[in-house]
Every structure is written in structure tokens, then in C-alpha cells.
């Protein structure tokens, strides 16, 4: 066979191998990675629906002890959690022992202690479900329902990096004020027949309180991570400047990712792939406000990027803020497992899974139909972006095998 013919044949074989990899990773079941990820997907589907009013049985442990034992370096809760419904039900109903102003931050929240000493963060309702937040993609108050929806999206995507969240209705007069600190009580006021409070935070103002409907306030409760897992805060490498007319480097330098790859902890370990997973997550929920992020302390870069503070999400269903995906389209890399999961959620499967997951929550409907439709639309945008990377540099350079599983201590 002539050299030219051999070269043509070799190129054809390489092309077929490349197409085969794309096919196997594009929702197919032929590769070991795909079979493994499909099995995990089926487990997620089976555990998606949660029973209301579930209770723990056959255990002397509290729901807080069980949830605490779930936490590890690479997950907040494990793949299989038969007790999840009972833990969330406890979050939604446990007696409030103490109420105080929220911890540091720019947005209104309250720090509550539930029966048994469990700390939780309460974020109050500020908008109706169909309210559209106009302006910058990070504009507006925190959305409590976004915290609930983001937690369940974390479940659906199989990341398992978001703290547990549930919606709850709380009577401010009977459940909060009798156990509130003086600092929190001093921020309570009445507007007509509605009880309100404005708390203490950077943007908290007496003129902009959160108000209950009468005495009952809707909000979200986020389970505080165990104290044995102290957090470390990091500046997000793709953070915004929040200054008009001043761009961050990533906003004008398309080769910015190459610089990030040379900086610890992004030069080794799973952190950069976590950042890219988070970009996908944030794009789906419309969160353009992740200027910092947390990991566990003294982890040497091995800890997961924890998906905390997701409330600046689901503000405008019509806005697909592509800049959120900058880590993905500038680095042009993504975990194989993430790619496989996203493909399994195509064709409306993502919104369908979210409807099923959110139906359990006490404040359902958590999301309106336009927001659920936006999840499917944005997913298509993520898949198209990855395919553009594969066309430009090949699937082997785009899809990264990274299944780092660290044992619990």
C-alpha cells in the first residue's frame, strides 16, 4: 500500500475512534465510564422523590448527627441517602431554640438554632415566585426559593457539594421573637398587619425589611456544616469587579485559563475541574454572583468547592448570562462524569427531574414553569459549548477523567 493511502487510512481510523468516543460519552452506554455514570444516574432517579413527613426509624441518632456523618472531603452527602427525607422534614419542623442576626454577608438572613443545638441559616422570602429581577445578572435581593432549588439541582447533577436546604413557614411571633436576641429583636417592626425585620448585614436597611404575611414568614433553612469541617474562603478566579467600566482580566483575556492553571490550587488536583463544574451549575441557575467560594481548611487543594450561597439565582428566566460559563469555554475542559450526566438530562429530563425533586418541599411550587424551561434551554447551551471545544481540540483534550474519591476520616 502506498504511503499516501496508508496516511489516508490512518486518518480515517483516528477520526472513527474520535467519533466513537464522542458517541460513547454522548449519552451512550458502550464505555465503562458511561455504564458507571448511567448506574449512578439511575440511583439518583430512584431516590429523587422524597416522602413528606418522613421520620427516622431504627436509630438512636438525631437527624443532625446523621447529616454530620455524611460529610466528607468530596461530598456533603453520599450517593445513597435513605434518611434524606427524614432529615429535611426535621429541618422543616424542629423547634427553634434561639434566633439571632445572620453571620457576615451583604444580604439579610437570620441564624437559628434548632432543637438539639443544630445551627441553620434562615433566608426570608423577598419576592413572589413570578417576580422578574431586572438589571445586572447579580442584581436584587437573595431569593430563598433559589437556595431550595439549587440544593435539589446539586442532587440531580450528582455533585453532592451543596449543604442541605429546605423551605419552611415560620411564625415570627410564636417561634422567633420569644427566643430572639436583643440585637435581632431591635430590627423587628410592623408594616400594616405584617410583622417584618431587617436584621444586620452590609445592605440591611430599616427602610427595606422582609415582611411576613401577617405573622407567618416563608423562607429557606440551610443546614450548617459540622464544626469539625472548618471552611476556608477563596477568591474566585473568574470573579467580577462589580465596578462600572472596570473589567476583570478574564473578561478581556481569552487565554486567561492558561494563567490560572499555573496558580495553586488550580495547577494540580481537582479544584480547577470543580470550578468548571460550578460554572455549569451557576449557568443553569443563573447565578452570576460567585465572587468567592469555600472549601474545607488545610485540604492541600483536595477538598471540593462547596456550593454555598446560591440565592442570587433564578431571578430572570429569560436571561442566559453566557459569561458565567467563562471557566468552561476558556479552559475547554470538563469532567467525563459531568458530561455524561448532562447528556442523560437532555430533552426535558432535567426539568422533569427537578419537578419531581421539588414536589416534596413545604414551600412548593418552588420554581415557576419559565424557570424550569430555562434549565432545559441553558443545558442545551452548555452541551453546545462542550461540543465546540471537542471540535476545536478533540474529545481527549476536552473530556477529563477525574474520579477522585477520598475516604472519610
Amino acid at each position: 500500500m502506498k504511503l499516501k493511502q496508508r496516511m489516508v487510512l490512518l486518518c480515517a481510523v483516528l477520526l472513527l475512534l474520535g467519533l466513537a468516543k464522542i458517541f460513547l460519552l454522548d449519552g451512550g452506554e458502550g464505555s465503562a465510564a458511561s455504564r458507571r455514570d448511567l448506574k449512578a444516574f439511575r440511583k439518583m432517579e430512584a431516590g429523587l422523590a422524597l416522602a413528606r413527613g418522613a421520620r427516622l426509624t431504627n436509630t438512636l441518632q438525631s437527624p443532625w448527627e446523621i447529616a454530620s456523618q455524611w460529610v466528607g472531603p468530596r461530598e456533603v452527602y453520599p450517593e445513597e441517602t435513605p434518611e434524606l427525607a427524614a432529615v429535611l422534614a426535621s429541618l422543616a419542623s424542629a423547634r427553634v431554640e434561639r434566633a439571632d442576626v445572620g453571620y457576615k454577608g451583604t444580604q439579610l438572613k437570620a441564624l437559628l438554632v434548632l432543637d438539639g443545638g443544630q445551627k441553620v441559616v434562615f433566608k426570608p422570602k423577598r419576592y413572589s415566585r413570578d417576580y422578574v429581577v431586572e438589571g445586572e445578572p447579580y442584581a436584587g435581593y437573595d431569593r430563598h426559593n433559589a437556595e431550595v432549588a439549587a440544593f435539589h439541582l446539586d442532587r440531580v447533577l450528582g455533585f453532592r457539594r451543596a449543604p442541605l436546604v429546605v423551605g419552611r413557614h415560620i411564625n415570627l411571633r410564636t417561634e422567633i421573637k420569644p427566643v430572639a436576641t436583643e440585637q435581632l429583636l431591635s430590627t423587628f417592626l410592623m408594616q400594616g398587619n405584617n410583622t417584618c425585620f431587617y436584621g444586620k448585614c452590609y445592605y440591611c436597611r430599616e427602610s427595606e425589611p422582609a415582611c411576613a404575611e401577617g405573622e407567618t414568614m416563608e423562607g429557606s433553612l440551610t443546614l450548617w456544616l459540622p464544626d469539625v469541617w472548618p471552611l476556608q474562603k477563596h477568591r474566585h478566579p473568574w470573579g467580577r469587579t462589580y465596578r462600572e467600566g472596570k473589567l476583570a482580566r478574564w473578561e478581556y483575556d481569552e487565554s486567561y485559563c492558561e494563567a490560572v492553571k499555573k496558580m495553586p490550587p488550580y495547577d494540580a488536583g481537582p479544584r480547577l475541574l470543580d470550578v468548571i463544574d460550578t460554572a455549569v451549575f451557576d449557568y443553569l441557575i443563573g447565578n452570576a454572583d460567585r465572587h468567592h467560594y469555600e472549601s474545607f481548611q488545610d485540604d492541600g487543594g483536595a477538598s471540593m468547592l462547596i456550593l454555598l450561597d446560591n440565592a442570587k439565582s433564578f431571578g430572570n428566566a429569560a436571561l442566559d448570562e453566557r459569561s458565567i460559563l467563562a471557566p468552561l469555554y476558556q479552559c475547554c475542559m470538563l469532567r467525563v462524569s459531568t458530561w455524561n450526566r448532562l447528556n442523560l438530562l437532555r430533552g426535558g429530563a432535567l426539568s422533569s427531574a427537578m419537578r419531581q425533586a421539588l414536589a416534596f418541599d413545604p414551600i412548593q411550587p418552588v420554581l415557576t414553569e419559565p424557570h424550569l424551561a430555562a434549565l432545559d434551554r441553558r443545558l442545551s447551551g452548555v452541551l453546545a459549548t462542550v461540543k465546540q471545544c471537542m471540535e476545536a481540540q478533540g474529545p481527549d483534550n476536552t473530556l477529563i477523567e477525574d474520579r477522585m474519591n477520598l475516604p472519610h476520616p
Side-chain angles (χ1 to χ4, degrees), residues 44-79:
M44 179 278 294
E45 285 187 315
L48 205 54
L50 301 173
R52 289 194 182 188
R55 294 180 179 275
L56 291 173
T57 57
N58 303 318
T59 180
L60 297 177
Q61 291 182 303
S62 73
W64 323 134
E65 291 171 326
I66 290 173
S68 177
Q69 291 170 0
W70 286 342
V71 181
R74 296 295 303 168
E75 62 184 14
V76 176
Y77 52 94
E79 186 175 28

Side-chain angles (χ1 to χ4, degrees), residues 52 88-89 91-93 129 148 152 165-169 218-219 358-366:
R52 289 194 182 188
L88 291 177
L91 259 181
S93 60
R129 293 292 190 275
V148 177
H152 288 285
V165 184
V166 73
R168 178 164 173 171
H169 294 97
E218 180 178 299
L358 296 172
F360 151 88
D361 198 85
I363 65 168
Q364 66 87 27
V366 176

Side-chain angles (χ1 to χ4, degrees), residues 8-311:
V8 171
L9 180 60
L10 179 60
C11 289
V13 169
L14 290 174
L15 178 62
L16 287 172
L17 288 173
L19 291 172
K21 179 168 183 178
I22 292 173
F23 172 75
L24 292 176
L25 295 172
D26 195 10
E29 300 179 24
S31 71
S34 293
R35 288 194 296 272
R36 184 167 55 239
D37 292 334
L38 180 61
K39 183 178 180 181
F41 182 75
R42 297 304 179 210
K43 283 183 180 178
M44 179 278 294
E45 285 187 315
L48 205 54
L50 301 173
R52 289 194 182 188
R55 294 180 179 275
L56 291 173
T57 57
N58 303 318
T59 180
L60 297 177
Q61 291 182 303
S62 73
W64 323 134
E65 291 171 326
I66 290 173
S68 177
Q69 291 170 0
W70 286 342
V71 181
R74 296 295 303 168
E75 62 184 14
V76 176
Y77 52 94
E79 186 175 28
E80 296 185 68
T81 50
E83 308 94 345
L84 180 60
V87 173
L88 291 177
S90 296
L91 259 181
S93 60
R95 179 175 57 85
V96 179
E97 290 185 340
R98 187 171 185 269
D100 199 355
V101 294
Y103 60 97
K104 302 175 186 178
T106 62
Q107 299 286 315
L108 173 60
K109 59 183 76 71
L111 180 61
L112 309 182
V113 178
L114 302 183
D115 186 24
Q118 178 60 52
K119 289 188 286 188
V120 296
V121 176
F122 176 74
K123 293 190 177 181
K125 177 181 177 180
R126 306 298 298 259
Y127 300 114
S128 63
R129 293 292 190 275
D130 56 0
Y131 184 89
V132 177
V133 180
E134 303 283 0
E136 298 290 345
Y138 46 82
Y141 300 121
D142 275 358
R143 278 76 80 178
H144 72 295
N145 58 312
E147 290 283 12
V148 177
F151 164 64
H152 288 285
L153 179 64
D154 178 68
R155 294 176 60 213
V156 170
L157 293 176
F159 290 164
R160 304 195 300 280
R161 301 171 205 156
L164 276 59
V165 184
V166 73
R168 178 164 173 171
H169 294 97
I170 288 184
N171 188 298
L172 296 180
R173 181 179 63 84
T174 62
E175 294 184 82
I176 299 298
K177 294 181 79 172
V179 295
T181 63
E182 285 299 322
Q183 192 172 25
L184 179 60
L185 275 176
S186 67
T187 72
F188 273 77
L189 52 90
M190 297 294 294
Q191 287 192 354
N193 294 323
N194 299 322
T195 303
C196 311
F197 77 99
Y198 57 92
K200 184 178 181 181
C201 68
Y202 187 81
Y203 290 124
C204 289
R205 304 284 186 273
E206 184 175 353
S207 58
E208 300 179 24
C211 292
E213 293 186 7
E215 299 172 344
T216 303
M217 176 172 278
E218 180 178 299
S220 65
L221 288 188
T222 301
L223 190 70
W224 197 271
L225 288 168
D227 291 336
V228 296
W229 293 97
L231 301 182
Q232 182 175 351
K233 194 169 188 176
H234 309 264
R235 183 177 295 278
H236 196 298
W238 276 269
R240 302 172 188 276
T241 67
Y242 297 92
R243 298 177 188 171
E244 187 175 352
K246 183 174 176 58
L247 297 178
R249 179 177 169 183
W250 63 268
E251 293 181 279
Y252 60 82
D253 183 359
E254 285 301 316
S255 64
Y256 175 69
C257 183
E258 295 307 311
V260 174
K261 290 178 181 177
K262 297 174 184 176
M263 302 185 300
Y266 311 106
D267 56 346
R271 187 64 58 78
L272 181 56
L273 288 170
D274 281 359
V275 168
I276 296 170
D277 278 349
T278 302
V280 171
F281 178 82
D282 283 339
Y283 179 70
L284 293 174
I285 64 179
N287 178 20
D289 195 42
R290 202 173 295 279
H291 42 82
H292 289 79
Y293 68 84
E294 284 81 15
S295 70
F296 293 130
Q297 277 185 10
D298 302 322
D299 60 0
S303 162
M304 62 187 159
L305 189 164
I306 304 166
L307 296 174
L308 278 171
D309 291 334
N310 303 303

